[in-house]
Amino acid sequence: MDSDDLSVADPTITRTGSFADRDAWGPLGEWCAVERAMTVIGNRSSMILIREAFYGGHRFDDLVRRTGLAETVAAKRLRQLVDDGLMEQRPYREPGARTRHEYVLTDRGRALFPLFVSLMRWGQGDGGPSRMDLRHAGCGAPLQPIVRCEAGHEVGIGETEIHLRPKVTSGAA
Amino acid sequence: MDSDDLSVADPTITRTGSFADRDAWGPLGEWCAVERAMTVIGNRSSMILIREAFYGGHRFDDLVRRTGLAETVAAKRLRQLVDDGLMEQRPYREPGARTRHEYVLTDRGRALFPLFVSLMRWGQGDGGPSRMDLRHAGCGAPLQPIVRCEAGHEVGIGETEIHLRPKVTSGAA
DNA sequence: CTGTATCCCAGCGGATACTG
DNA sequence: CAGTATCCGCTGGGATACAG
C-alpha cells in the first residue's frame, strides 16, 4: 500500500481512479506528457528562442543577438525546434537581395502561449528585475495565466482531480 | 535599425515602448524573468518532482519511486528546490516511529500550478500516450490553461502587447 | 527510510575559427 | 547574413556503494 496518509494538510490534487499500478510507470515517462514536454522545451536556450519568436523575431541574426546565445548553440537549438515541429523555416526574398530563411512558430509552437505567460509571471514572482510587461492590447490590462475547466469554472489546486486512465484503451486511439 | 519588417504575417506579440536599447540586455537574463525561471525549473528532474508534489507525494521514498529518478539525483534536486524556496522540509512523527521529514510545496511552489497544467496539456498535444487527466472536482470537466487580462478578457497571442520598461525606474521598487 | 560519496557518461552552452 | 567544425568546461542524470 502506498504511504498516502497525509500527515500535513496542504492543497494538492486529489487522486481518482486506480493508482495501484502507479509505480509500474516506466522511468522514461512513456505515459507522462510532462516529462515528454520537458525533454523538448526543458532547457534555457529553447525557451528563450521561443520567447523571441513570440516577440516577433524571425531572422537568425536577430535571434542570436536578442537572446545572447552563442551562434553555435542557437543554430543547434533552432534546428532541433524545427525538427520537433515548434518552428518552421520559410524562405523569403527581399527585393534586391538574395533568398533568405526565417524562423516562424508553428501552431504547435504558438500553443506554448499559456505556458510562456505562466513562466514569465512565475519568474517575476521572485522579486528580481523584469522589464517585461504583457498586456491586453484591447484594454491595456496586465495578463494572468489561469486554469479553467471546460464548463467555465476557474479552478485552483484544491479543486483539481487527477484521473489515471486504466492502462491503454486499445479501442480508442 | 532593427530588421522588423515582417515578411510573414503570423500572430506575434506586439511590441510597445522603447525597444531601442533592447540589444543591451545582458546575456545572463538579468532583466528577463523567463530566463531566471528556466534556471530554476528548467530541467526534467525538478519538474517531475514538482509534479509528484502536486499529486500529493511527500516522502523521499515515494518521490523517488514515482518519478523513477536515481536517489542521488532526487536528493540533489530536492535540496535545490528547498533552497530555491519551492519546497520546504517539515518534520513529522508517526505514532510509534521516529521523526521523519517530508517535502511540501511552498506557496511559491504551488504558484506553478498554471504552468504545470500548461505543460501537461501542451505535452499531450504531441499525440503520445498520457494516462493523466486533470479535471475540475466540482463538475468533472477537463482543465485548460488560458490567458486572461485583469479586466477579465480572454487573450490570445494576437491581442497581446509587450511593453518594455525604460531602464530602471529607481523611484518605484 | 533517507539520504551521502564517488565515479561515470551524455548533453548543454560557450569560444574560436572557418564557409557560402 | 547565416550558419558549420572543433574543442572544452559545466551540469544533469544514473550506478554503485556506504551511512545515520
Side-chain angles (χ1 to χ4, degrees):
Chain A
M1 186 56 78
D2 249 345
S3 47
D4 279 339
D5 51 304
L6 298 190
S7 49
V8 292
D10 64 326
T12 49
I13 296 173
T14 305
R15 302 195 273 171
T16 315
S18 66
F19 270 77
D21 58 345
R22 173 68 170 77
D23 301 329
W25 287 12
L28 289 173
E30 10 182 11
W31 301 109
C32 179
V34 173
E35 290 192 44
R36 286 201 310 272
M38 285 305 287
T39 67
V40 178
I41 54 169
N43 50 31
R44 185 178 136 270
S45 53
S46 296
M47 208 59 223
I48 64 181
L49 283 167
I50 290 166
R51 178 196 73 189
E52 287 308 320
F54 273 128
Y55 294 167
H58 295 97
R59 304 231 314 252
F60 183 82
D61 192 40
D62 290 338
L63 292 174
V64 166
R65 192 163 26 90
R66 307 214 274 230
T67 55
L69 292 172
E71 295 171 3
T72 46
V73 177
K76 204 186 307 177
R77 280 290 150 265
L78 285 169
R79 197 180 330 129
Q80 186 181 312
L81 288 170
V82 169
D83 288 345
D84 290 339
L86 306 200
M87 290 193 188
E88 58 186 19
Q89 220 171 355
R90 290 195 202 157
Y92 76 102
R93 257 188 100 88
E94 283 173 0
R98 69 184 206 281
T99 302
R100 297 254 177 68
H101 292 276
E102 61 184 0
Y103 295 92
V104 196
L105 285 171
T106 62
D107 286 346
R108 179 148 179 77
R110 275 191 292 272
L112 285 168
F113 185 57
L115 195 150
F116 169 72
V117 176
S118 301
L119 195 63
M120 169 171 294
R121 282 297 181 233
W122 185 84
Q124 287 173 337
D126 67 357
S130 174
R131 297 179 60 191
M132 291 315 198
D133 198 15
L134 296 174
R135 299 192 199 160
H136 182 198
C139 70
L143 299 191
Q144 290 297 134
I146 67 159
V147 175
R148 208 168 62 178
C149 77
E150 287 180 358
H153 310 109
E154 188 169 343
V155 179
I157 305 177
E159 298 105 32
T160 299
E161 279 179 3
I162 173 148
H163 296 250
L164 184 59
R165 278 190 282 264
K167 260 289 186 187
V168 162
T169 51
S170 61
Chain B
M1 185 58 76
D2 246 348
S3 47
D4 278 339
D5 50 306
L6 298 190
S7 48
V8 290
D10 64 327
T12 49
I13 297 173
T14 304
R15 302 196 273 170
T16 314
S18 65
F19 269 77
D21 58 345
R22 174 68 171 79
D23 300 329
W25 287 12
L28 289 173
E30 9 180 12
W31 302 108
C32 178
V34 173
E35 290 192 42
R36 286 202 310 273
M38 285 304 287
T39 67
V40 178
I41 54 168
N43 51 33
R44 182 177 138 269
S45 53
S46 296
M47 207 59 223
I48 65 181
L49 283 168
I50 290 166
R51 178 195 73 190
E52 286 308 319
F54 273 128
Y55 294 167
H58 294 97
R59 304 229 317 250
F60 183 82
D61 193 39
D62 289 336
L63 293 175
V64 166
R65 192 164 24 89
R66 308 213 273 230
T67 55
L69 292 172
E71 295 171 2
T72 47
V73 177
K76 204 186 308 179
R77 281 286 152 265
L78 284 169
R79 197 182 330 127
Q80 185 182 312
L81 288 171
V82 169
D83 288 345
D84 290 339
L86 305 201
M87 290 193 186
E88 58 186 18
Q89 219 171 356
R90 289 195 202 158
Y92 75 102
R93 257 188 99 88
E94 283 173 359
R98 71 183 205 286
T99 302
R100 298 253 179 68
H101 291 276
E102 61 183 2
Y103 295 91
V104 196
L105 285 172
T106 62
D107 286 346
R108 177 149 179 77
R110 276 191 292 272
L112 286 168
F113 184 58
L115 195 149
F116 169 72
V117 176
S118 302
L119 194 63
M120 169 172 295
R121 282 297 181 232
W122 184 83
Q124 286 172 337
D126 67 356
S130 174
R131 297 180 58 193
M132 291 315 198
D133 199 15
L134 295 174
R135 298 193 199 160
H136 183 200
C139 70
L143 299 191
Q144 289 297 133
I146 66 157
V147 175
R148 205 167 64 179
C149 77
E150 289 180 358
H153 310 108
E154 189 169 344
V155 179
I157 306 177
E159 298 104 34
T160 298
E161 280 179 2
I162 173 148
H163 295 250
L164 184 59
R165 278 189 281 265
K167 259 290 184 184
V168 162
T169 50
S170 61

